[in-house]
């Protein structure tokens, strides 16, 4: 039986994304995001716990543009890998291999001015209805 390895995260970029070319016109972009969880302790004081997630995205145009402070939505899978440290010991890393990256918001208002703005639709329901002759109605 196959299992399911799926992760969905919504968090804040901890730094600017690092974009590197790899073989055959492929690219890898790495970045980290923080997710926060809040809870009340026994004394009824609010506490916040921050988890950091390492993300790797292959050939992602959206990931290339991420900067510190951006809110980002990530879908992917968990991948654990081992490596040799400089001191000769083994190390482990747990990464999210992103299959989808969406920049959900921007860190500063100046960036928002670069996003195309569409006029507000103030039309009524009747304004949007199309006049279809009765004989052309499918029912």
């Amino acid at each position: 039986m196959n299992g399911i390895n799926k992760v969905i995260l919504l968090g804040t970029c901890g730094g600017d994304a690092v974009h590197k070319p790899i073989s055959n016109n492929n690219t890898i972009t790495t970045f980290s995001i923080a997710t926060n969880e809040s809870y009340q302790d026994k004394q009824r004081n609010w506490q916040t716990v921050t988890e950091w997630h390492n993300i790797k995205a292959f050939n992602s145009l959206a990931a290339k543009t991420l900067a510190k402070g951006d809110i980002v939505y990530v879908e992917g899978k968990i991948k654990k890998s081992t490596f040799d440290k400089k001191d000769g010991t083994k190390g482990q890393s747990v990464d999210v291999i992103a299959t989808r990256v969406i920049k959900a918001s921007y860190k500063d208002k100046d960036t928002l001015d670069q996003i195309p703005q569409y006029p507000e639709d103030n039309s009524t329901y009747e304004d949007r209805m199309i006049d279809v002759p009765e004989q052309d109605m499918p029912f």
Side-chain angles (χ1 to χ4, degrees):
M1 176 181 102
N2 287 335
I4 297 173
N5 180 357
K6 180 152 182 136
V7 173
I8 298 174
L9 298 169
L10 180 66
T12 306
C13 274
D16 294 348
V18 177
H19 184 71
K20 296 179 184 174
I22 54 178
S23 64
N24 298 337
N25 291 332
N26 292 315
T27 60
I28 183 170
T29 304
T30 57
F31 57 98
S32 62
I33 64 171
T35 56
N36 296 322
E37 179 181 355
S38 297
Y39 67 94
Q40 277 187 316
D41 61 18
K42 291 180 182 179
Q43 291 77 35
R44 310 211 30 78
N45 297 317
W46 282 100
Q47 303 294 326
T48 300
V49 177
T50 301
E51 279 294 327
W52 285 94
H53 311 275
N54 297 318
I55 314 295
K56 292 182 179 178
F58 295 91
N59 302 320
S60 172
L61 296 175
K64 285 174 39 174
T65 66
L66 293 175
K68 182 176 182 175
D70 287 340
I71 305 299
V72 62
Y73 171 88
V74 175
E75 286 182 21
K77 64 181 180 177
I78 295 173
K79 174 95 168 134
K80 185 170 29 171
S81 56
T82 58
F83 57 92
D84 294 323
K85 294 183 179 180
K86 290 180 182 179
D87 64 5
T89 61
K90 295 276 186 192
Q92 276 191 350
S93 73
V94 177
D95 300 311
V96 173
I97 307 302
T99 55
R100 185 177 209 187
V101 176
I102 300 171
K103 190 185 288 191
S105 74
Y106 298 83
K107 66 179 180 173
D108 58 27
K109 189 167 177 5
D110 294 337
T111 309
L112 290 174
D113 295 336
Q114 299 170 13
I115 301 171
Q117 300 295 316
Y118 299 98
E120 189 175 334
D121 184 5
N122 293 320
S123 61
T124 65
Y125 175 77
E126 289 78 19
D127 292 339
R128 292 188 302 265
M129 292 302 297
I130 300 172
D131 285 333
V132 178
E134 205 168 302
Q135 65 271 16
D136 293 338
M137 293 281 198
F139 47 87

